[in-house]
Amino acid sequence: MKILVCISNVPDTTSKINFTEGDTKFDTNGVQFVINPNDEFGLTRAMWFKEKQGATVHVATVGGAQTEPTIRKALAIGADEAIRINAEPTDGFFVARQLAEVAKNGGYDLIIAGRESIDYNGGMVPGIIATLLDMNFVNTCVSLEIEGTDAKAVREIDGGNETIATSLPLVIGGQKGLVEESDLRIPNMRGIMMARKKALHVVEATDAPTMTADVKFEKPAAKGPVKLVDAGNIDELISLLHNEAKAI
Amino acid sequence: MKPDLFEAPDYYHLDDLLSEEHLLVRDAARQWVKRDVSPIIEEYAQKAAFPKQIIGGLAEIGAFGPYIPEAYGGAGLDQISYGLIMQEIERGDSGVRSTASVQSSLVMYPIFAYGTEEQRKKYLPKLATGEWMGCFGLTEPNHGSNPGGMETKYKDMGDHYLLNGAKLWISNSPFADIAVVWAKNEEGRIHGLIVERGMEGFSTPETHNKWSLRASATGELIFSDVKVPKENLLPNKSGLGAPLGCLDSARYGIAWGAIGAAMDCYDTALRYAKERMQFGKPIAAFQLQQKKLAEMITEITKAQLLAYRLGQLKNIGKATTAQISMAKRNNVEMAIKVAREARQILGGMGITGEYSIMRHMMNLESVITYEGTHDIHLLITGADITGHQAFK
Ligand SMILES: Cc1cc2nc3c(=O)[nH]c(=O)nc-3n(C[C@H](O)[C@H](O)[C@H](O)COP(=O)(O)OP(=O)(O)OC[C@H]3O[C@@H](n4cnc5c(N)ncnc54)[C@H](O)[C@@H]3O)c2cc1C
């Protein structure tokens, strides 16, 4: 089985978020980047397929040279090869188009992407890859087992789970549940040393239209101070909820 | 103890100067400390025990001999990677960092640099995995800052050496499998010998009741007529320069390690100051607390730049003993001052084990003393710039 794990390079969750150029660009100054958490759950599940079922695992990302530490980490965790598509990830369609091209050329049986990246939360990439490649697709995937070409996937649905029988080739949009947080791996020194020698291919981007442009980013409004209302004073509470919070 | 919410300060974007591999190595150590050291370290410090269960993890993140070549089980990393690993470990606890420093710079380094090929092959791979732990015996009851006066000595008995003497304040001694011991031969010249646990006449009593480095085991090495096989002598360097060469390497690691302890104190105090309300405001809004925090980040940033440049010099083999002394002295004092100020920012909470600051503060009292005291490092700089040695 040949697996491609699509990895997005995202700001660490503790990063301070700021925008530049008239609030149209994310300010990366001083920001640390990590493997998108949803992708890391997928990568860790892929490692399981590698170790238990002899799968080959490649990782791919769309991004400039600055994303290489992130994919090198995936190699240190145990992926066999990495591919960097040398382009700025402008929007979901553009990224999916690039990954689909790499996936098509590589002949993968299983493509694991994250349900969404935690930076722009687009949530479109795995679905568009599946569409472009005409593959089966399971989104919000919380469990995946594979026997030969049969796949059993569990999908998170509102208030419960749905178990789906499908087959390879398959694209999944993964998330926590594929593995648990405690299963995530810290690269060890042996892995880091081996990662030095593993191939990191840089390929040029395929022509693809960018269909959207960022017009403006806004941060959520700062939280106001808490107002405490006397327990007996229901009228004031209702008036505040109605007139100030506009919640009722 | 409170959950570890550490966010590393990087005020001058030093990360931009680090290579992809530096970042990978540093972040792995950082994650490991958060996962495996922070949750348990306070308990071990409180009960004054070394957490042996983390030895495997230390080996996995490359803390044992990161710059020793791969052929001997090391990771073949550069000196900046070594420094970053020490920084991250000491961010967790100086005692744990001490264990790693001793294993790497004071045990593996002399065997690698002064040992025979057979000695390297026999010891280094097992030390790199933590299967064997080592300690380094230089200090004696009567000779601390002046190790050249040591009394431990050995005699050539034809087919073996006979070792007699005692060492004090030896990190890792109570559980170490081997000891690199510095002793004088009959001509009074200092040589290194590898003494193994189990050799007759060799014992390692533990030193109790320390208020500092409580999560690190410290003890004595006592040799009474210990027969040391001749092949256990490190042949390729002798004289005081041999142990001092190891200390250069360990002190370099400490210069980075101290930054880790300071970062942890600063980060804890900054978070606390933003959350703790007094007089209707977060205490971070008061000028006196801002002064403390602003000075801390300034000093940490300066120390980072000093360590980074020293790492570059070390990578090209140009770092001098005096330059290393300056960085060890400056950065450890910086860390102690940061710890003391940070503790005050936490008020009463600062004295509890809920937070790491007081533990760091007490640990650093050892760090400022071992591997050359604060005074001795100043005298090394003084001698270097004036040409006059003032410590003899
Ligand atoms: C927790 C811990 C772990 C240690 N681990 C090890 C280890 O693993 N291996 C090892 O070999 N040693 C180890 N040491 C020993 C350490 O290196 C010594 O404590 C240190 O070198 C100082 O020696 P001393 O304690 O004998 O102090 P002294 O040398 O007696 O110094 C006492 C004071 O006098 C000052 N002083 C001394 N000489 C001069 C001078 N010429 N001019 C001005 N002032 C002077 C010193 O600065 C100091 O303030 C450890 C120590 C501690 C506390």
Side-chain angles (χ1 to χ4, degrees), chain B residues 130-389:
Chain B
E131 186 184 337
W132 283 352
M133 293 301 291
C135 67
F136 174 90
L138 179 65
T139 305
E140 298 186 352
N142 296 327
H143 302 277
S145 298
N146 176 25
M150 70 174 63
E151 293 161 46
T152 300
K153 56 183 192 297
Y154 66 90
K155 242 186 170 154
D156 191 337
M157 307 300 283
D159 63 342
H160 66 267
Y161 298 119
L162 199 65
L163 179 66
N164 276 292
K167 300 286 177 182
L168 186 63
W169 294 120
I170 307 306
S171 304
N172 298 357
S173 98
F175 60 81
D177 303 285
I178 66 165
V180 170
V181 177
W182 301 93
K184 285 181 178 165
N185 66 13
E186 286 145 280
E187 287 79 52
R189 189 151 180 91
I190 296 172
H191 282 265
L193 298 153
I194 304 169
V195 180
E196 297 181 18
R197 183 171 296 282
M199 287 181 176
E200 219 181 302
F202 173 42
S203 60
T204 60
E206 184 159 356
T207 302
H208 293 288
N209 301 332
K210 290 179 297 171
W211 280 120
S212 174
L213 289 194
R214 289 170 62 83
S216 158
T218 313
E220 299 170 51
L221 302 175
I222 296 172
F223 316 102
S224 54
D225 285 337
V226 180
K227 287 183 186 167
V228 182
K230 284 206 148 165
E231 68 263 22
N232 283 23
L233 183 99
L234 299 173
N236 296 331
K237 189 157 174 142
S238 64
L240 193 57
L244 295 188
C246 307
L247 296 181
D248 270 355
S249 176
R251 289 165 180 173
Y252 165 76
I254 294 170
W256 283 90
I259 298 170
M263 281 177 166
D264 197 46
C265 294
Y266 164 76
D267 179 63
T268 305
L270 179 63
R271 186 171 305 106
Y272 190 87
K274 287 191 206 166
E275 288 168 3
R276 173 71 176 167
M277 304 287 288
Q278 284 298 292
F279 301 96
K281 282 190 198 170
I283 58 170
F286 296 114
Q287 288 183 352
L288 283 175
Q289 306 314 318
Q290 290 191 1
K291 176 174 189 291
K292 292 185 185 126
L293 291 163
E295 286 177 352
M296 284 182 204
I297 189 64
T298 307
E299 291 308 313
I300 289 171
T301 304
K302 282 153 69 179
Q304 285 177 314
L305 294 170
L306 199 64
Y308 180 80
R309 176 62 188 147
L310 187 63
Q312 287 182 321
L313 290 172
K314 213 149 186 308
N315 275 343
I316 55 170
K318 281 195 171 169
T320 65
T321 297
Q323 284 169 332
I324 294 169
S325 279
M326 181 184 281
K328 190 265 184 187
R329 180 175 189 275
N330 182 77
N331 290 9
V332 176
E333 185 186 37
M334 176 285 293
I336 279 204
K337 286 185 172 160
V338 166
R340 288 175 185 159
E341 294 285 304
R343 202 219 57 71
Q344 289 199 51
I345 292 178
L346 268 70
M349 281 318 253
I351 70 153
T352 72
E354 285 291 292
Y355 294 91
S356 56
I357 298 177
M358 186 103 181
R359 178 165 44 81
H360 282 305
M361 192 174 113
M362 298 197 300
N363 282 342
L364 288 163
E365 292 293 335
S366 290
V367 181
I368 204 167
T369 296
Y370 69 21
E371 298 277 351
T373 67
H374 196 60
D375 297 333
I376 292 294
H377 287 299
L378 179 116
L379 297 178
I380 291 174
T381 306
D384 193 49
I385 58 175
T386 65
H388 296 287
Q389 265 202 6

Side-chain angles (χ1 to χ4, degrees), chain A residues 14-16 29-33 40 65 68-70 72-74 76 182 184-190 192-193 195-197 200, chain B residues 7-8 13 15-16 20-21 23-32 35 59-63 70 73-77 85 274:
Chain A
T14 56
S15 305
K16 312 252 170 322
N29 211 9
V31 170
Q32 286 213 19
F33 285 84
E40 197 173 350
E68 286 191 7
T70 302
R72 189 70 70 183
K73 179 177 175 188
S182 56
L184 297 179
R185 300 176 181 195
I186 299 173
N188 61 26
M189 194 49 65
R190 199 140 305 282
I192 292 172
M193 282 155 61
R196 279 182 202 157
K197 296 176 196 132
L200 194 164
Chain B
E7 285 172 42
H13 303 323
D15 276 11
D16 294 351
E20 189 183 298
E21 191 163 86
L23 293 172
L24 203 51
V25 165
R26 196 265 322 263
D27 290 349
R30 185 170 286 173
Q31 267 186 291
W32 176 77
R35 191 189 69 189
E60 288 244 309
I61 61 158
E70 292 180 45
L77 294 172
I85 294 173
K274 287 191 206 166

Side-chain angles (χ1 to χ4, degrees), chain A residues 8 18 28 43 51 61 64 66 83 86 95 105 114 120 122 149 155 166 175 190 192 220:
Chain A
S8 180
N18 287 307
T28 57
L43 174 67
E51 285 155 16
T61 194
Q66 79 281 0
I83 302 147
N86 189 25
V95 170
N105 297 336
Y120 296 101
T149 57
R155 198 167 78 84
T166 179
Q175 62 179 63
R190 199 140 305 282
I192 292 172

